[in-house]
Amino acid sequence: MATSAVHWTVNSSDTKRPIFFSPSFRQIAPKKFNISCRSAKSPPKSPPDLAEPAAATTKKTKNKDPSLSLSEQLRPLTTTTLSDPPPPKDQSQLISKPKSIWVNPAKPKRSVLSLQRQKRSLYSYNPQVRDLRGFAHKLNDCDATKVAFLAVLEEIPHPPTRENALLILNSLKPWQKTHMFFNWVKSQNLFPMETIFYNVTMKSLRFGRQFQLIEELAEEMIRDDIELDNITYSTIITCAKRSKLFDKAVEWFERMYKTGLMPDEVTYSAILDVYAKLGKVEEVLSLYERGRASGWKPDPIAFAVLGKMFGEAGDYDGIRYVLQEMAALGVEPNLVVYNTLLEAMGKAGKPGLARSLFEEMVEAGLTPNEKTLTALVKIYGKARWARDALELWERMRSNKWPMDFILYNTLLNMCADLGLEDEAKKLFDDMKQSEHCRPDSWSYTAMLNIYGSGGKVDEAMELFEEMSELGIELNVMGCTCLIQGLGKAKRFGDMVRVFGVAVEKGVKPDDRLCGCLLSVVSLCEETEDEDRVLSCLQQANPKLVTLVKVLQNKNIGFDTIKDEFRDVIGSTAVESRRPFCNCLIDICRNKNNHERAHELLYLGTLYGLYPGLHNKTAREWCLDVRSLSIGAAHTALEEWMGTLYKIVQREEALPEMFSAQTGSGTHKFSQGLSHSFGSHVKKLAAPFRQSEEKAGCFVATREDLVSWAQSQAPSSAITTA
DNA sequence: GTAGGGTTAG
C-alpha cells in the first residue's frame, strides 16, 4: 500500500483529523455527500498518486510519476463514496478534537495544490509609457484588416523591445488586434517569446471567447518548449469554461497535473468552478477537502464557487456548510460571497434566511450592490412578501444604494408578482426619466404583465403602441400578457390585431401563448368572436383547434376524443398541459356540453394533469381545486358529489369530515375561484359551507353529507361518471 | 481589461 498517497479515506485510528471532520460538519454535511460513508476498510486497490509536496524553495513542483489523470484519480473516490459501509460509531475523538489540522510532521501528506500562489514578475517603469499607450489606442481604433494594422504599425514611436512590446500588448483591446500584434512581434524575432507574452495574448483572446486560438497557442508553447505556468493554465481553463467547453477545461487541468505542475489556489478554484458548473457536487467536495487536507485555507472566491453550486442544486444544507466552513476558518464573506449565498438561499426556497443573511451583511458594514438587491427583491417577490419588498425599496432609496436596469426590471417583476400597480407605474416613470436605466423590452413586458392581469387594457394598449413607436421589441411573454388582458376585456378585435402584429414581427407563439388564446376562446359568447380567436390559434397550433372542434361534435365518441386529447397534450410543454385541459373544460361548459367537460376532467386525471386533486386521510377527505379553472372546479365538484352520493347509497365507510379547497386568492388579480365555487355549491345544494377559520375552504361533516344524499332523488341531476 | 479564479432577470 502506498502510505504516502493522498488521503482517500479516513482511517478511524488516526489521531489527527482534518478540520472538515469536525462535529459541526457532520451535522450539516450537504446532501448526497456523506463523508461518513468513506471508510478505511476498503481503500482503492492502487491508491493513485498526485504530485510531491511542494518544496519551499521552488516556485513550482514536478510530479515524479504523473501516470494518472485527475478523473482517474477521482474515480475511486466517487465510486466508493456512496457504496462503502458507514464508519465505526466511535466518533468521540472527532468531537474532542474538532480543530485539529491535517498535518502530521512525521508522515507528510501529499499535496493537491501549491499553497504558494504564483508570483507575477514586477514591472519596471517605462518612461515611454505615454507614447506607447497612445500608439496602442491608434492600433485599437484602426481597421481590423491586416493591411490597415500593418500600416499603423509602421508608425511605432519606439523600437519594439521586450518591455515596449509587452506594454502595447497589454493595452490592446479587441482580441483580433492583440492576436495580430502578438504574431507581428513574434515574426520580428527581436527577443525570445516568453510565457508572459502568451499569457497576455490568451487573456485578450478569452474576452473574445476564442478558445480554439488559445488552444493553438498553448500547443505552440509546448512545441517550442515555452513554459506553461499557472496563469497560462487558469486562462485556458476559464476560457473553456466560459465557452461551455467543460471537457476541454478538465482536459487541460489533467494535462497540467501530468506535466507535474501543481495548481495554485487560483487554478484550483477555477477547476472547482468547472466541476461545479457541471453539477458534479461530489467531485467538487472531494477536491475541496483534499485541498483543505493539503493545508489550503480557501479564500472567499472558493467559497463563492461552492455557494453558487449549492444554490443551483437548491441544497440548503450545502449552503449552511459553506457558512459554517467560513466561520470555522475565520474567512470573512465578502460582497460577492454574500450575493452568491443570497441567490442560493432564494433557489433553496429560504426567504427568511435570505433576509437574515442580508441584515447580517449590512451589519457587518458591507454596502449592498445592484446584484445583492436584485437577488433579494426577486426572493421577496417570489415569496409574495410585499411588506418586506416595499421596506427594502424604501431603504434602497433613502440609503441611495446603487440601482441598475436589471434591478429596476426585477423590481417591476416583483410589483407584477405582488399586484403593486401604482408602485410599478412610479418605477417605470423613474426609468423613463433616468439617464442610464431606460425601459427596455423587459421593462415593457413587466408593465404589460401588470396591466394585462390587472384589467387595465387601455394602459396596456398604450404601452403596445409606445413600443412600436420606440422600436422596442415585443416578446412572446409581453404578447401573452397583452392578449390575456384584451381577452378578459372581450376586446377581440384588438386582440386579433395584436396577435397579427406580434407574429409579423417575429414572435413565435409558444404553448403559454396558445393556452392564453385558448382561454380567450372560453370567454367568447358569439360564434363570430370565437372564430376570430380560433383563426389566431390555427396559426399557432392547428392540432389544438382540431381538438376544440372535435370536442364540440356530439357525434364523435369518447375513444376518438381520448386519442386526439392524448396527441395534443403529449406534444405540449408540461407546464401548459393543465391550463390547456382547464380551458378545454371551460369551453365545453360554456356550450352546455357538460358531458364532454366530465370526460375531459377524467382524461386530465388519467394523464396525471391533476395530481393531488383528491386527498384522503382516515379522518378527512379533501377535494383540492386550487389549480383548476372555474369550469374545471365546478366539474370536479359535481364529479365528487356524484361519487359521494354513490358511496352513501352503498353504505360504505366515510370519514368524519369533508372539505374542498379553492384557495383564498392572495394575489390581487386572482379570479375569485372561491366565490364562484361557493355559488356552484349552492346551485347543487351540496352540503358544504364556507369555513369560518379558513378562507377558501368549504367544509361538511359526515352527517351533513349523509342527510344530503338521502334527500336526493335517486335520479339525481348530478352527473356521475 | 493590473499576465490568471467567483455574483444579477420570466
Side-chain angles (χ1 to χ4, degrees), chain A residues 384-432:
Chain A
R384 302 262 160 92
W385 285 14
R387 203 190 62 205
D388 291 275
L390 291 173
E391 272 175 21
L392 179 65
W393 187 13
E394 189 47 45
R395 274 168 85 183
M396 285 163 56
R397 298 169 84 90
S398 63
N399 290 316
K400 296 200 163 42
W401 283 337
M403 294 278 282
D404 65 2
F405 74 103
I406 294 182
L407 179 52
Y408 263 115
N409 285 343
T410 308
L411 280 164
L412 284 176
N413 281 328
M414 180 269 288
C415 290
D417 281 335
L418 298 172
L420 302 170
E421 200 178 296
D422 294 341
E423 288 82 355
K425 206 173 167 330
K426 191 175 174 329
L427 272 166
F428 193 63
D429 289 339
D430 280 359
M431 287 183 86
K432 282 184 170 171

Side-chain angles (χ1 to χ4, degrees), chain A residues 89-389:
Chain A
K89 289 261 161 74
D90 176 23
Q91 291 173 4
S92 53
Q93 280 186 331
L94 299 179
I95 293 159
S96 61
K97 294 199 172 190
K99 291 267 173 184
S100 61
I101 296 166
W102 186 274
V103 175
N104 182 347
K107 204 165 85 177
K109 307 300 174 209
R110 297 285 171 130
S111 231
V112 288
L113 84 166
S114 163
L115 300 181
Q116 189 97 35
R117 196 186 279 216
Q118 185 183 319
K119 294 269 184 298
R120 299 182 191 207
S121 53
L122 291 169
Y123 277 109
S124 51
Y125 175 70
N126 189 330
Q128 291 146 353
V129 61
R130 282 187 67 148
D131 289 353
L132 294 166
R133 283 253 163 81
F135 176 63
H137 283 146
K138 249 188 194 169
L139 288 172
N140 281 336
D141 294 340
C142 83
D143 225 48
T145 61
K146 215 169 177 178
V147 183
F149 192 76
L150 288 172
V152 179
L153 271 178
E154 298 286 321
E155 304 168 27
I156 191 161
H158 301 285
T161 61
R162 179 189 179 278
E163 277 66 34
N164 290 348
L166 202 50
L167 209 153
I168 294 170
L169 199 62
N170 256 313
S171 314
L172 291 173
K173 238 174 205 170
W175 62 268
Q176 293 90 339
K177 301 285 172 67
T178 319
H179 196 224
M180 278 193 280
F181 188 74
F182 171 82
N183 283 330
W184 178 77
V185 172
K186 200 164 59 180
S187 72
Q188 300 292 298
N189 263 324
L190 295 170
F191 46 84
M193 292 302 267
E194 298 161 35
T195 305
I196 190 169
F197 283 86
Y198 282 89
N199 289 349
V200 174
T201 306
M202 282 184 180
K203 186 186 173 185
S204 179
L205 290 170
R206 192 184 60 176
F207 280 112
R209 298 265 167 97
Q210 297 299 308
F211 181 74
Q212 207 184 331
L213 286 175
I214 286 185
E215 203 171 37
E216 281 167 20
L217 286 184
E219 299 289 3
E220 182 179 304
M221 291 173 85
I222 293 165
R223 195 191 63 219
D224 296 349
D225 213 19
I226 296 165
E227 181 197 351
L228 283 80
D229 61 14
N230 259 286
I231 298 179
T232 321
Y233 281 109
S234 57
T235 311
I236 298 170
I237 289 166
T238 52
C239 180
K241 183 179 71 186
R242 290 177 198 184
S243 313
K244 296 204 160 53
L245 301 167
F246 299 113
D247 50 338
K248 280 288 181 188
V250 173
E251 181 193 318
W252 278 96
F253 186 58
E254 294 186 346
R255 283 177 79 165
M256 177 174 78
Y257 265 112
K258 280 192 177 164
T259 66
L261 178 63
M262 284 283 263
D264 66 6
E265 71 169 333
V266 175
T267 315
Y268 205 69
S269 52
I271 203 70
L272 279 183
D273 194 35
V274 170
Y275 282 109
K277 296 255 165 358
L278 284 166
K280 299 195 170 187
V281 178
E282 300 208 357
E283 279 84 344
V284 172
L285 286 174
S286 81
L287 281 170
Y288 171 80
E289 280 175 19
R290 293 167 67 186
R292 291 277 302 110
S294 309
W296 175 44
K297 183 182 172 183
D299 65 0
I301 293 181
F303 286 118
V305 168
L306 293 184
K308 170 101 182 173
M309 171 181 78
F310 287 125
E312 291 300 320
D315 184 347
Y316 173 57
D317 289 339
I319 299 165
R320 283 177 62 211
Y321 171 59
V322 174
L323 286 164
Q324 189 80 38
E325 282 283 283
M326 279 193 292
L329 293 169
V331 177
E332 290 292 324
N334 64 14
L335 187 56
V336 175
V337 172
Y338 272 116
N339 290 352
T340 308
L341 291 175
L342 281 171
E343 180 92 356
M345 293 278 198
K347 291 196 169 131
K350 304 280 178 189
L353 293 161
R355 183 174 58 190
S356 320
L357 192 67
F358 175 71
E359 296 305 340
E360 181 192 307
M361 183 194 120
V362 175
E363 270 168 38
L366 292 171
T367 303
N369 68 6
E370 297 88 336
K371 290 173 186 174
T372 323
L373 299 165
T374 299
L376 209 53
V377 167
K378 203 173 126 192
I379 289 168
Y380 289 161
K382 291 284 161 259
R384 302 262 160 92
W385 285 14
R387 203 190 62 205
D388 291 275

Side-chain angles (χ1 to χ4, degrees), chain A residues 459-519:
Chain A
E459 286 86 342
M461 280 309 282
E462 215 174 284
L463 285 183
F464 172 71
E465 307 297 352
E466 200 173 297
M467 288 173 83
S468 301
E469 280 165 31
L470 297 172
I472 290 168
E473 181 208 357
L474 176 69
N475 59 28
V476 67
M477 185 180 168
C479 177
T480 305
C481 294
L482 200 47
I483 284 179
Q484 186 194 9
L486 290 167
K488 267 199 225 161
K490 302 201 191 294
R491 281 172 50 175
F492 304 112
D494 283 331
M495 198 224 78
V496 171
R497 181 168 69 89
V498 165
F499 181 82
V501 171
V503 170
E504 197 180 300
K505 286 189 177 165
V507 169
K508 298 261 174 290
D510 59 6
D511 288 339
R512 286 184 196 215
L513 178 49
C514 291
C516 182
L517 286 169
L518 198 61
S519 76

